[in-house]
Amino acid sequence: MQWFLNLIDRQTERSVRQVAHSHGRRSLVARLGVALVGGAVLPMLPFDRSGQFMAANAATPAKGKAGRADPREDPTQCEYWRYCAFDGFLCTCCGGSLTQCPPGTEASKVSWVGTCLNPKDGRHYLVSYNDCCGKGACGECLCNNNERERPGYRLGVHNDINWCMANSSPMFHCTTSIIVGVA
Ligand code: ABN
């Protein structure tokens, strides 16, 4: 029996020596150093703590596969999704915005309403295309999509019309695109 205990003793001693040999004190100190420095430096690295990462993404046009901005999400491009039935100059190119007329002009009292698919949520929205009136034509970013428009002899469904006609000044400047409902 004693010989068996001696064998276990020797085996254990050999294993412990092997471990001590391959994991010396230096390697232990080095690992401890990495852990300590890593723990101190990691929290100092810059990252978004505001929780507004998604909001920031929503404000900038999404990038497509090729890394280029998707024009369906850029209101300065005629391909922007809300412009599917648009006919006029984009107010985003004329000193206004998607929904605001440029200074010195006012929104038309009547408008053309289109139905456009939002590629982000797959829903259709009613979009009112109000002309901005009171100044001569802006002349920038002409856009003529006219989805679902019908010929001019069917007046109620024709979009090639100056919607400033009911305003005090009938001069047409540019066109806005205001969401007025979900289809
Ligand atoms: N709705 C834009 C527009 C204005 C004048 C003439 C044609 C179209």
Side-chain angles (χ1 to χ4, degrees):
M1 189 62 187
Q2 186 58 44
W3 68 268
F4 183 65
L5 292 176
N6 286 345
L7 180 73
I8 291 179
D9 256 6
R10 259 179 280 130
Q11 287 289 355
T12 310
E13 187 185 338
R14 197 175 301 150
S15 309
V16 169
R17 281 188 192 282
Q18 261 176 4
V19 170
H21 188 70
S22 55
H23 295 84
R25 260 174 298 168
R26 278 200 197 146
S27 99
L28 178 71
V29 170
R31 274 161 203 252
L32 267 176
V34 168
L36 282 174
V37 172
V41 168
L42 258 184
M44 286 191 238
L45 291 176
F47 66 93
D48 185 358
R49 297 164 204 263
S50 64
Q52 289 174 350
F53 173 75
M54 293 305 283
N57 256 5
T60 46
K63 299 263 167 75
K65 271 190 193 146
R68 260 176 262 121
D70 184 347
R72 292 175 310 167
E73 292 176 20
D74 182 352
T76 65
Q77 303 295 313
C78 190
E79 292 82 6
Y80 181 61
W81 70 271
R82 276 198 214 180
Y83 299 153
C84 76
F86 195 101
D87 179 354
F89 302 112
L90 305 181
C91 280
T92 51
C93 298
C94 303
S97 71
L98 252 186
T99 54
Q100 296 278 308
C101 284
T105 64
E106 62 167 9
S108 62
K109 297 193 190 313
V110 286
S111 70
W112 165 265
V113 176
T115 305
C116 299
L117 172 71
N118 181 346
K120 268 208 163 152
D121 63 8
R123 300 175 81 178
H124 284 86
Y125 290 85
L126 299 176
V127 183
S128 174
Y129 299 107
N130 288 77
D131 287 342
C132 294
C133 319
K135 272 187 179 177
C138 159
E140 300 286 336
C141 304
L142 177 65
C143 180
N144 217 343
N145 287 330
N146 294 320
E147 210 171 280
R148 281 183 279 273
E149 190 203 26
R150 289 291 174 267
Y153 57 82
R154 297 184 60 192
L155 273 183
V157 282
H158 187 63
N159 185 23
D160 194 11
I161 286 176
N162 180 359
W163 298 105
C164 291
M165 59 187 149
N167 284 52
S168 54
S169 167
M171 278 203 294
F172 160 70
H173 187 63
C174 64
T175 307
T176 54
S177 307
I178 301 157
I179 290 180
V180 289
V182 183

